């Protein structure tokens, strides 16, 4: 036999890992190649030697499970009956092991009798290895005796001790772990949720008397629960480990940043020099680990009878599903009860049946805000919600971060794991148990902790896009504030905390914080002392949660100095008014982030301050203001009737339209969206000093997601152009749709129609709320009604639940004032109910002055 024949066969097989797409199938084939070589060699070396029933070779460990990775060790047990001489045994072992060494395979071997095998059961590694014993070659009679006289007679006490340890180990390492378990550079075999943790469950089941102990792989036994997802996850982890071995050219289980791109390319995720390849691969890797996580939790609850409390509701009633799910977590938090993992698995299953209405339902949002206000287990409860796919459904802006890798030696965790770790640090502060009393005392006088929790949730959500993640995050914060119906004060606080969450870290590490001018400039950004305290606490726990050892004593010291210096400045009464703060923030961004001169930034600040209504600068981040300034200039130079750009968000697509002032643009847009079968879920209208329009609209597809095709975006743009040029009749357009869509009949009395005016929410506009049955072109008809009354529409928020439209419109007179004439309000109400096709004199009207 050629010395390197086995090596050549293995290396010819390595490329098959790219096409096999199954880790178990690939590693089994490698095991089969080694089996064949060892059997052939055994026949050669034993020829003429009277071995009879005196010796057999047994594959143990990973090789015994037929899970031989490309550069894994080959573990062999030379089992003999004590009747062969030591010299003969040494000769046979030497020849076989030397052959394997010459083929560049590391060998781990032992040579024992059945009786001697009992002496090695005190080590758990040896115990696991022998559980995976598989006959290779030699005396089958001796192997059968080994099975009955050794494997079948392992003391029950030994089995129980090891199994109890494994159950406890898994619970403490995985379920009760405080630390994130999705790592940026995971060890595929030994880190939490790696192959070894799955094998622990396998070894427990292997000792079950009912389990079949015949040859086979890791899943040839019965596990309680649905093992299909675990099987897929295990397959993927095994395949990734094999690819890592091949790419590394050695035994290697650490998937470090330097190798991830090559492994991703090897496994067919795309070219290694494209970031999407890496994102797609690591997202799939983390998804597999999440499946392992959930399976382990369910398995442990079944094994240890911790499933005492089961969900009382079936979670199948679509009318109550949303509230049932959110109440489950609210009650667990309130009562400080740890839910059964079996219950959580039921919730996870039910999450697939939550649609877009879930994130808009007022009762759900109110309950969630109430949970954030509960000063207990906020981070823990939100972590459980995330594990069940509920948190991402409720806040899709955060959901987009799920399993999102950061590819940074600085960040040790995925975006979602990092975020949830910060929230669990918040739990420690809430419990008054934080390690540094200086920071704890600052937190203890903080107010608006629920806004801090929301800010933590989305502070890094902008990282799923390229560019300034703080600015993108702030834009998402404004969207979320609208959805949760936060007050203007809370909205501004949320936006500020997200937009500026890295500013203290940057100043403390890059600037001279002992410069009084810097402190004065920094202090101008704060409306009050509480905002500074919240930002300081956020900075501290964010930094700590980046990775172990990042928040050093030195880092804490300089952050504390920056905080106390700024607080002292504010306590002297040097608070800037709102306009000064906005101007200062915008100017700082333009100069420091965009590299503009003071003169250039001044022009853009002036541009932003002159746009009406003045909420423009509250609603748009400095990034967007700068973008609008550039795009408006380009559009005016182009001579085109309008300009439209799009940005994809987690839950919708944002359209920004620049055009000459024309009320018809609102109707053109709403009619176009309706005709294409899309949903308009939010709209804001602004005017420049030169009376040009900046129209910002949020749209979703018919299923309430942001998965809108490029062709549909192109259709919107071309249809708008046809409307402006008079080629398309907007009236006809708004009442039709080019997709098949039938709205169901809603039983009388199911929801009471409502038209409500609120004049107590703003000094400059009235809020109109409409609740009527949904229909094609409804938003268009309501907008046309308002424009027919010669009113200005500055904001529209659209949502639909149970096929009823719940829409809000911020409206004002031509002079920029609230509508206070009751007669006009009544006439608007009747007209709206009429165009909504509600029966005459039906529907409630409320006016709050």
């Amino acid at each position: 036999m050629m010395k390197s024949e086995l090596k050549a066969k293995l290396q010819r097989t390595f490329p098959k890992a790219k096409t096999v797409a199954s880790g178990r199938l690939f590693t089994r084939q490698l095991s089969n190649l080694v089996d064949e070589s060892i059997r052939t060699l055994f026949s050669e070396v034993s020829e003429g030697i009277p071995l009879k029933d005196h010796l057999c070779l047994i594959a143990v460990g990973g090789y015994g499970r037929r899970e031989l990775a490309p550069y894994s060790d080959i573990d062999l047990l030379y089992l003999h009956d004590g009747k062969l001489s030591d010299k003969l045994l040494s000769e046979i072992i030497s020849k076989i092991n030397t052959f394997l060494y010459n083929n560049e395979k590391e060998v781990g071997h032992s040579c024992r009798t059945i009786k001697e095998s009992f002496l090695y059961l005190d080590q758990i590694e040896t115990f696991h290895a022998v559980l995976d014993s598989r006959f290779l070659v030699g005396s089958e009679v001796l192997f059968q005796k080994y099975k009955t006289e050794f494997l079948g007679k392992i003391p029950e006490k030994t089995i129980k001790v090891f199994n109890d340890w494994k159950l406890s180990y898994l619970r403490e390492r995985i379920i009760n772990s405080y630390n994130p378990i999705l790592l940026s550079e995971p060890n595929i075999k030994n880190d939490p949720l790696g192959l070894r943790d799955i094998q622990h469950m396998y070894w427990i089941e292997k000792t079950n008397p009912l389990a079949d102990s015949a040859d086979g792989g890791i899943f040839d036994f019965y596990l309680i629960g649905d093992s299909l997802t675990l099987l897929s996850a295990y397959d993927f982890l095994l395949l990734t480990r094999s690819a890592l071995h091949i790419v590394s050219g050695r035994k290697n289980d650490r998937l470090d940043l330097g190798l991830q791109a090559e492994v991703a390319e090897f496994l067919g995720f795309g070219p290694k020099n494209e970031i999407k390849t890496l994102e797609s691969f690591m997202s799939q890797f983390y998804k597999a680990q999440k499946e392992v996580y959930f399976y382990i939790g369910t398995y442990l609850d079944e094994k240890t009878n911790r499933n005492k409390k089961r969900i009382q509701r079936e979670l199948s009633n679509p009318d109550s599903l949303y509230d049932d799910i959110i109440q489950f977590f609210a009650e667990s938090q309130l009562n400080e009860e740890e839910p059964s993992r079996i219950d959580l698995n039921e919730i996870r299953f039910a999450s697939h049946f939550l649609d877009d209405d879930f994130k808009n339902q007022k009762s759900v949002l109110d309950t969630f805000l109430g949970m954030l206000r509960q000063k207990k287990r906020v981070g823990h409860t939100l972590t459980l919600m995330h594990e069940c796919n509920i948190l991402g459904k409720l806040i899709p802006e955060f959901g987009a971060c799920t399993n999102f890798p950061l590819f940074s030696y600085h960040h040790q965790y995925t975006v979602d794991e990092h975020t949830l770790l910060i929230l669990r640090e918040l739990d420690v502060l809430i419990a008054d148990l934080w390690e540094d009393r200086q920071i704890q005392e600052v937190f203890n006088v903080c107010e608006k902790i629920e806004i801090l929790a929301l800010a933590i949730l989305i502070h890094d959500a902008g990282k799923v896009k390229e560019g300034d993640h703080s600015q993108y995050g702030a834009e998402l914060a404004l969207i979320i504030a609208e959805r949760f119906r936060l007050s203007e004060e809370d909205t501004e606080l949320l936006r500020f905390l997200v937009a500026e969450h890295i500013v203290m870290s940057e100043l403390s590490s890059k600037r001279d914080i002992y410069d009084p001018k810097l402190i004065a400039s920094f202090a101008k950004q704060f409306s009050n002392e509480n905002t500074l305290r919240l930002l300081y606490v956020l900075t501290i726990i964010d930094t700590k949660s980046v990775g172990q050892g990042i928040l050093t004593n030195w880092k804490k010291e300089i952050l504390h100095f920056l905080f106390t210096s700024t607080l002292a400045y504010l306590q002297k009464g040097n608070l800037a008014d709102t306009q000064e703060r906005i101007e200062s923030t915008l100017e700082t961004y333009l100069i420091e982030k965009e590299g503009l001169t003071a003169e250039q930034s001044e022009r853009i600040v002036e541009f932003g301050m002159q746009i009406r209504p003045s909420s423009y600068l509250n609603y748009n981040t400095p990034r967007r203001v700068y973008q609008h300034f550039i795009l408006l200039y380009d559009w005016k130079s182009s001579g085109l009737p309008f300009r439209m750009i799009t940005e994809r968000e987690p839950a919708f697509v944002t359209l920004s339209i620049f055009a000459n002032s024309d009320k018809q643009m609102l109707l053109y847009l709403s009619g176009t969206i309706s005709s294409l079968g899309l949903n308009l879920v939010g709209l804001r209208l602004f005017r420049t000093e030169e009376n040009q329009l900046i129209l910002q609209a949020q749209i979703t597809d018919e299923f309430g997601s942001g998965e809108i095709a490029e062709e549909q975006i192109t259709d919107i743009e071309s249809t708008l152009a046809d409307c402006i040029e008079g080629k398309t009749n907007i009236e006809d357009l708004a009442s039709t749709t080019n997709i098949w869509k039938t709205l169901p009949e809603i039983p009388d009395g199911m929801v009471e129609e409502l038209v409500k005016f609120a004049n107590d929410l703003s000094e400059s506009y009235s809020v109109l709320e409409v609740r009527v049955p949904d229909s094609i072109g409804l938003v268009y008809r309501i907008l046309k009604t308002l424009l027919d009354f010669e009113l200005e529409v500055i904001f529209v928020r659209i949502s639909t639940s149970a096929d009823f439209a719940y829409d809000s419109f911020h409206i004002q007179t031509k002079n920029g004032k609230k509508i206070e004439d009751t007669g006009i309000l009544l006439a608007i109400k009747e007209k709206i109910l009429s165009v909504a096709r509600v029966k005459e004199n039906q529907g409630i009207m409320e006016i709050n002055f």
Side-chain angles (χ1 to χ4, degrees):
M1 178 179 286
M2 291 178 61
K3 286 186 176 181
S4 59
E5 182 182 344
L6 174 60
K7 176 184 173 183
K9 284 182 179 178
L10 290 171
Q11 290 187 332
R12 284 202 305 272
T13 308
F14 288 173
K16 298 296 183 185
K18 296 180 180 182
T19 55
V20 167
S22 165
R24 291 181 307 136
L25 191 60
F26 179 70
T27 54
R28 179 164 293 203
Q29 177 64 3
L30 298 185
S31 302
N32 290 341
L33 289 173
V34 176
D35 287 357
E36 181 189 12
S37 293
I38 290 176
R39 287 176 183 139
T40 302
L41 182 62
F42 184 82
S43 297
E44 290 179 7
V45 300
S46 62
E47 191 173 346
I49 301 174
L51 294 178
K52 291 187 180 179
D53 294 332
H54 303 310
L55 175 68
C56 74
L57 267 65
I58 299 173
V60 293
Y63 177 41
R65 292 191 306 274
R66 287 200 175 105
E67 291 178 357
L68 192 65
Y71 289 97
S72 288
D73 296 350
I74 294 174
D75 294 320
L76 293 171
L77 168 60
Y78 292 86
L79 183 74
H80 63 98
D81 62 1
K83 296 179 181 178
L84 298 175
S85 68
D86 290 347
K87 181 182 178 183
L88 181 58
L89 283 172
S90 296
E91 187 178 326
I92 293 171
I93 291 170
S94 175
K95 287 182 178 179
I96 292 174
N97 286 2
T98 300
F99 164 76
L100 293 172
Y101 289 138
N102 288 340
N103 280 272
E104 298 182 4
K105 302 302 297 181
E106 292 294 320
V107 182
H109 84 274
S110 55
C111 180
R112 299 170 191 156
T113 63
I114 292 174
K115 184 177 179 181
E116 288 170 343
S117 296
F118 284 98
L119 302 175
Y120 297 92
L121 288 177
D122 57 334
Q123 297 287 329
I124 195 167
E125 292 84 3
T126 308
F127 175 67
H128 289 156
V130 299
L131 286 181
D132 293 323
S133 297
R134 177 172 62 88
F135 175 74
L136 269 179
V137 68
S139 171
E140 291 189 57
V141 173
L142 184 58
F143 181 71
Q144 288 303 321
K145 287 180 69 177
Y146 173 81
K147 286 173 67 176
T148 56
E149 296 180 15
F150 171 60
L151 292 178
K153 292 184 179 179
I154 294 175
E156 288 185 16
K157 183 180 178 182
T158 300
I159 293 172
K160 185 176 186 311
V161 167
F162 284 144
N163 284 355
D164 286 349
W165 178 86
K166 278 176 279 198
L167 289 170
S168 174
Y169 174 79
L170 286 173
R171 186 168 292 281
E172 293 309 310
R173 171 178 166 91
I174 307 297
I175 304 305
N176 294 342
S177 172
Y178 180 81
N179 294 319
I181 44 184
L182 300 186
L183 307 175
S184 61
E185 294 186 298
N187 183 302
I188 304 171
K189 181 179 177 181
N190 292 318
D191 272 348
L193 306 182
L195 292 166
R196 187 63 85 217
D197 285 342
I198 305 172
Q199 290 157 4
H200 280 313
M201 292 185 290
Y202 159 71
W203 286 319
I204 292 171
E205 293 301 317
K206 193 82 171 174
T207 59
N208 185 334
L210 300 177
D212 180 10
S213 60
D215 289 358
I218 191 165
F219 285 99
D220 294 342
F221 64 87
Y222 175 71
L223 271 177
I224 295 170
D226 179 7
S227 58
L228 182 61
T229 54
L230 182 69
L231 174 61
S232 299
Y234 192 74
D235 244 347
F236 183 75
L237 294 177
L238 267 181
L239 191 63
T240 302
R241 184 183 184 221
S242 295
L244 179 61
H245 277 211
I246 294 166
V247 166
S248 305
R250 60 185 174 84
K251 182 170 69 174
N252 179 18
D253 295 325
R254 175 69 63 189
L255 190 57
D256 63 53
L257 289 168
L259 291 171
Q260 286 173 10
E262 288 189 64
V263 172
E265 183 179 66
F266 182 89
L267 291 176
F269 283 86
K272 64 183 179 182
N273 57 347
E274 292 184 8
I275 191 69
K276 285 184 179 178
T277 299
L278 199 46
E279 287 176 356
S280 179
F281 165 61
M282 289 306 295
S283 180
Q284 180 68 26
F285 186 89
Y286 294 134
K287 183 181 177 185
Q289 287 194 303
K290 287 276 184 75
E291 296 294 353
V292 176
Y293 174 85
F294 239 91
Y295 194 90
I296 287 174
T298 307
Y299 177 81
L300 289 174
D301 272 9
E302 288 284 5
K303 279 289 177 184
T304 54
N305 295 315
R306 296 199 182 195
N307 55 326
K308 293 174 185 174
K309 185 178 178 184
R310 305 297 286 262
I311 294 176
Q312 301 301 315
R313 312 169 186 87
E314 288 300 320
L315 296 178
S316 58
N317 183 353
D319 294 331
S320 63
L321 179 62
Y322 300 166
D323 287 314
D324 287 346
I325 284 178
I326 199 71
Q327 285 299 330
F328 173 86
F329 291 105
E331 289 168 15
S332 297
Q333 179 196 28
L334 185 64
N335 300 326
E336 299 188 47
E337 292 178 341
E338 190 63 22
S340 157
R341 292 279 151 177
I342 297 167
D343 281 353
L344 292 174
N345 206 33
E346 289 296 317
I347 296 275
R348 189 179 187 223
F349 174 79
S351 73
H352 296 291
F353 300 93
L354 296 175
D355 56 29
D356 191 57
D357 292 344
F358 180 64
K359 78 176 193 311
N360 293 317
Q361 184 157 307
K362 188 175 184 300
S363 59
V364 172
L365 296 174
D366 289 347
T367 300
F368 184 73
L369 274 179
M371 291 165 63
L372 297 185
R373 292 188 181 105
Q374 282 281 350
K375 292 202 170 182
K376 60 171 83 168
R377 290 163 58 100
V378 173
H380 181 71
T381 305
L382 265 56
T383 299
L384 294 178
M385 288 178 67
H386 182 55
E387 290 168 3
C388 299
N389 299 328
I390 299 300
L391 192 57
K393 294 276 189 176
L394 182 60
I395 304 181
E397 294 79 7
F398 171 74
C401 306
T402 302
N403 302 338
F404 191 83
L406 286 171
F407 313 123
S408 162
Y409 290 101
H410 186 57
H411 280 271
Q412 295 177 10
Y413 318 116
T414 57
V415 172
D416 54 334
E417 286 277 321
H418 163 67
T419 300
L420 291 165
L421 180 56
I422 303 174
L423 285 163
R424 294 196 292 275
E425 289 291 340
L426 183 63
D427 282 353
V428 180
L429 285 165
I430 288 172
D432 198 21
L433 295 172
W434 221 69
E435 62 213 37
D436 190 315
R437 293 311 299 175
Q438 196 175 57
I439 295 161
Q440 181 71 60
E441 284 163 15
V442 174
F443 175 81
N444 289 345
V445 294
C446 284
E447 299 172 354
K448 300 284 187 182
I449 302 303
E450 71 277 12
I451 304 301
L452 174 61
L454 262 183
I456 292 169
L457 252 185
I458 54 170
H459 78 292
D460 273 351
K463 285 188 173 177
V464 299
K465 287 188 176 185
E466 293 182 17
D468 189 330
H469 80 279
S470 298
Q471 292 292 304
Y472 283 124
E475 288 154 19
L476 297 176
L478 291 164
I479 292 161
I480 290 167
E482 272 183 17
R483 195 183 305 145
F484 278 88
R485 300 169 177 84
L486 298 184
S487 67
E488 289 184 10
E489 180 187 350
D490 287 352
T491 297
E492 169 55 22
L493 177 58
L494 178 64
R495 183 208 65 79
F496 179 84
L497 290 175
V498 175
E500 306 300 336
H501 74 272
I502 61 172
V503 68
M504 291 188 79
S505 286
E506 290 197 335
L507 287 177
S508 63
S509 60
K510 299 176 183 178
R511 302 283 293 277
D512 179 8
I513 60 172
Y514 300 96
D515 182 353
K517 289 182 180 178
L518 181 137
I519 298 299
S521 174
F522 180 53
K524 283 182 182 177
Q525 299 182 50
F526 296 95
S527 56
N528 54 54
E529 295 173 18
N530 186 58
T531 304
L532 172 63
R533 289 191 180 96
L534 290 174
L535 183 65
Y536 170 60
V537 169
L538 172 56
T539 304
I540 289 289
I541 57 179
D542 182 16
T543 305
K544 184 184 178 188
S545 302
V546 165
Q548 294 180 356
I550 301 297
L551 183 63
T552 61
N553 288 334
W554 173 79
K555 185 75 173 172
K556 280 195 287 188
E557 226 174 274
I558 59 173
L559 283 170
H560 188 70
F561 180 84
L562 177 59
F563 165 70
T564 52
S565 301
T566 309
L567 182 64
Y569 186 91
L570 293 178
Q571 287 174 339
K572 292 175 184 175
N574 294 314
L575 288 168
D577 63 27
T578 303
Q579 185 163 322
E580 280 183 308
R581 280 188 292 104
I582 291 173
E583 286 184 35
S584 175
T585 301
L586 179 54
E587 187 175 21
T588 300
Y589 170 83
L590 294 170
I591 292 172
E592 295 192 359
K593 299 287 186 179
E594 300 293 348
L596 303 186
T597 65
E599 185 181 351
Q600 289 169 328
S601 65
E602 189 178 335
R603 283 180 59 202
I604 297 169
V605 170
E606 186 178 355
F607 158 80
M609 297 300 292
Q610 290 171 345
I611 290 179
R612 293 293 174 265
S614 58
S615 58
Y616 173 78
L617 286 178
N618 293 322
Y619 183 71
N620 287 284
T621 59
R623 182 193 75 89
R624 275 235 171 102
V625 174
Y626 180 49
Q627 180 191 57
H628 289 175
F629 180 84
I630 298 296
L631 290 169
L632 263 171
Y633 179 82
D634 289 345
W635 165 65
K636 285 189 288 185
S637 304
S638 72
L640 296 171
F642 74 100
R643 172 80 186 275
M644 186 180 91
I645 62 164
T646 60
E647 284 192 76
R648 294 186 180 273
E649 314 292 354
F652 50 78
V653 171
T654 296
L655 306 178
S656 295
I657 298 169
F658 308 93
N660 289 315
S661 184
D662 183 352
K663 289 183 180 179
Q664 290 290 104
M665 279 300 295
L666 276 177
L667 301 181
Y668 294 157
L669 181 61
S670 60
T672 297
I673 298 300
S674 175
S675 72
L676 294 173
L678 302 171
N679 296 322
L680 180 67
V681 294
L683 187 149
R684 283 188 181 273
L685 181 65
F686 300 102
R687 286 182 175 81
T688 68
E689 187 184 30
E690 298 173 6
N691 211 27
Q692 289 126 357
L693 288 183
I694 301 176
L695 202 59
Q696 293 175 277
Q698 299 160 357
I699 60 172
T700 70
D701 64 11
E702 62 268 33
F703 305 108
S705 81
E707 300 298 321
I708 296 175
E710 286 299 326
E711 301 79 45
Q712 291 175 295
I713 300 293
T714 303
D715 285 345
I716 293 172
E717 194 163 12
S718 61
T719 307
L720 280 175
D722 288 346
C723 288
I724 291 171
E725 293 171 17
K727 295 178 181 178
T728 298
N729 186 308
I730 190 61
E731 291 283 347
D732 295 339
L733 191 70
S735 57
T736 59
T737 177
N738 66 1
I739 67 163
W740 181 82
K741 186 174 183 180
T742 302
L743 293 169
E745 289 289 325
I746 298 171
D748 287 342
M750 178 179 168
V751 179
E752 203 161 21
E753 293 85 0
L754 168 71
V755 175
K756 178 180 177 181
F757 292 96
N759 270 341
D760 56 348
L761 299 178
S762 171
E763 292 295 320
S764 59
Y765 59 81
S766 302
V767 176
L768 164 65
E769 291 187 19
V770 179
R771 183 177 65 206
V772 292
D774 195 20
S775 61
I776 294 168
L778 176 64
V779 176
Y780 168 83
R781 295 194 301 275
I782 294 175
L783 281 171
K784 188 172 188 310
T785 297
L786 297 173
L787 296 179
D788 286 346
F789 276 90
E790 297 189 337
L791 299 173
E792 300 285 347
V793 179
I794 57 177
F795 170 66
V796 178
R797 184 178 184 278
I798 310 297
S799 61
T800 303
S801 182
D803 299 305
F804 255 74
Y806 293 80
D807 303 339
S808 297
F809 303 81
H810 293 189
I811 54 178
Q812 58 187 191
T813 66
K814 282 197 261 186
N815 300 324
K817 296 183 178 179
K818 296 188 279 192
I819 301 103
E820 298 184 288
D821 186 318
T822 308
I824 293 177
L825 294 177
L826 186 59
I828 294 171
K829 176 250 183 183
E830 289 300 329
K831 183 65 174 173
I832 286 175
L833 290 177
S834 171
V835 301
R837 296 168 188 161
V838 175
K839 294 173 186 174
E840 194 174 353
N841 296 323
Q842 189 173 317
I844 300 171
M845 177 173 176
E846 295 180 13
I847 304 176
N848 294 332
F849 287 100

